Amino acid sequence: MGVGRFVYTPVFPLMHAQAGLSAGSGANLATANYVGYLIGALAGTVVPRLVRSRAVLRSCLSALVATLAGMPLTHDATAWLLLRLAAGAFSALIFVIAAGSLLSHLREHPAHLPGWAFGGVGAGIALSGVLVLGLRTVGNWQAAWWASAVLATALTLGAWGLRPEPAPRPAPRPSPSAAATTGGGPRTHRWFSALFASYTLEGVGYIIAGTFLVAAIDQTSPGWIGSGAWVLVGLAAIPSSALWAGLGRRWSRPDLLLAALAVQAVGIALPALLGGVAAALLSAVLFGATFIGVSTLALSTGTHLRFPRAVALLTAGYSVGQILGPLVATPLLHHGYHRALLLAAALVATAAVAAFALRIKFPHTMPTAYAASEPGSGPTR
């Protein structure tokens, strides 16, 4: 999923230079992928059977490979858009199935173990960056897509035996006395509203950086730095979810969410403000180390607040933010990508302000009588 969804970022500069793909059209392809991701996530929510089916998983894995192989077969922008739309939908279903499998089969294991597994997204990003970095001097944009399809095929074989989450057992009805005691659960609307605003803004800002970071670095740095930075993004993302989960033993989720968003905002702004190789590489590390961690922290905070359908609502807001990101950034692309990065940094900084509001009188402990366990509370990228 990391390859299928994110390889477009390092390939985009090659398509811009060699295939005549404009910055605006590139943003449209990115938006199509995010629309597809929202469609796939909603499909998994509306029809839960989809995300508990091994046949669906295998079909989506195979179809995702096909979308990668289809990109170099055409120069038609509409065909590219449809392929990236489909890739987004298949990626979402794959991730939801994998997340559900992890959270169900590793429920009794330490929290950092699923975190390392979620680092597979980072590994896919790093591998896709290595592919494009190796091909940019000896191949072209078409070779990059073919190579990504081959890599995704190899990873599909490794994922072929993954067991989806089993169907849940019917929950016992609460007794009238228990229902009266809980009173429908604690009121957490104020904190959830701040969390929802923060996570939606993060979706907008993060995706602008995720789409245009490599292209922005390529404008002011030697040719290999952009793809090299994308490799660093993936490498930093591999341990990030596990490390943020480990920090949760010492600090509260709102504090960690605020810290992660602040660090990410600095990382996104660095290439636009300073330029140079050092700023580009540091930006990649800070961005990679936070974007999966932010999702983990936000969704676990929503689950802690026990707001009805918290994970579904947060995921929807984040997905809509991802769709809006390239659209709001497109008018800024006429003079390069640095203004888009500054906008992304400002949006993530605003998300950090909302996270700061979340900290005010945050209910760190919740009534134990209220049983509000929501399935599927893993990070949704």
Side-chain angles (χ1 to χ4, degrees):
M1 178 267 184
V3 174
R5 185 156 188 237
F6 292 105
V7 70
Y8 174 71
T9 297
V11 175
F12 168 60
L14 295 180
M15 296 182 72
H16 179 67
Q18 300 172 5
L21 182 66
S22 67
S25 296
N28 290 338
L29 291 186
T31 300
N33 187 253
Y34 311 141
V35 171
Y37 195 84
L38 176 60
I39 292 171
L42 291 176
T45 301
V46 174
V47 189
R49 291 192 300 272
L50 291 176
V51 299
R52 300 190 184 102
S53 167
R54 182 173 287 188
V56 170
L57 170 64
R58 292 176 173 178
S59 297
C60 288
L61 288 167
S62 302
L64 183 58
V65 172
T67 66
L68 297 174
M71 289 294 289
L73 295 178
T74 179
H75 282 73
D76 182 69
T78 301
W80 285 340
L81 188 141
L82 293 174
L83 286 168
R84 293 310 293 160
L85 178 76
F90 297 134
S91 295
L93 284 168
I94 290 167
F95 187 84
V96 172
I97 293 172
S101 176
L102 284 170
L103 293 171
S104 63
H105 297 304
L106 299 180
R107 185 173 287 119
E108 304 303 324
H109 292 74
H112 67 85
L113 192 57
W116 282 107
F118 287 122
V121 177
I125 291 172
L127 288 171
S128 65
V130 168
L131 271 183
V132 178
L133 183 62
L135 288 171
R136 41 184 315 138
T137 56
V138 297
N140 54 19
W141 68 272
Q142 292 166 309
W145 282 112
W146 283 120
S148 69
V150 171
L151 173 60
T153 299
L155 294 171
T156 292
L157 295 177
W160 203 251
L162 183 69
R163 292 179 297 143
E165 176 185 11
R169 296 177 180 175
R173 288 179 175 271
S175 65
S177 59
T181 301
T182 60
R187 288 187 167 274
T188 56
H189 296 75
R190 175 163 64 91
W191 295 287
F192 184 80
S193 296
L195 178 64
F196 183 83
S198 178
Y199 196 47
T200 300
L201 286 167
E202 157 69 2
V204 183
Y206 135 80
I207 210 63
I208 294 173
T211 303
F212 300 116
L213 182 63
V214 172
I217 292 172
D218 275 346
Q219 281 190 323
T220 56
S221 302
W224 64 271
I225 296 297
S227 294
W230 194 241
V231 174
L232 279 181
V233 168
L235 292 176
I238 292 173
S240 64
S241 186
L243 293 178
W244 285 107
L247 291 173
R249 300 189 189 103
R250 294 189 177 185
W251 290 282
S252 70
R253 293 185 185 95
D255 288 337
L256 290 174
L257 183 61
L258 171 61
L261 288 167
V263 169
Q264 187 180 116
V266 171
I268 293 172
L270 276 176
L273 295 176
L274 299 180
V277 174
L281 298 183
L282 180 58
S283 169
V285 172
L286 296 180
F287 180 68
T290 52
F291 79 93
I292 294 180
V294 166
S295 286
T296 305
L297 292 167
L299 294 176
S300 63
T301 302
T303 302
H304 169 78
L305 289 173
R306 297 167 183 172
F307 192 85
R309 296 187 61 77
V311 171
L313 289 171
L314 288 169
T315 300
Y318 187 79
S319 298
V320 170
Q322 291 183 103
I323 295 169
L324 293 175
L327 297 178
V328 300
T330 298
L332 302 176
L333 300 179
H334 301 297
H335 303 286
Y337 301 96
H338 287 173
R339 291 183 183 180
L341 289 188
L342 290 175
L343 172 63
L347 289 166
V348 175
T350 307
V353 173
F356 181 82
L358 178 68
R359 297 176 65 249
I360 300 173
K361 297 182 179 180
F362 183 80
H364 296 288
T365 58
M366 302 291 283
T368 55
Y370 180 65
S373 172
E374 182 169 357
S377 57
T380 304
R381 302 298 323 161

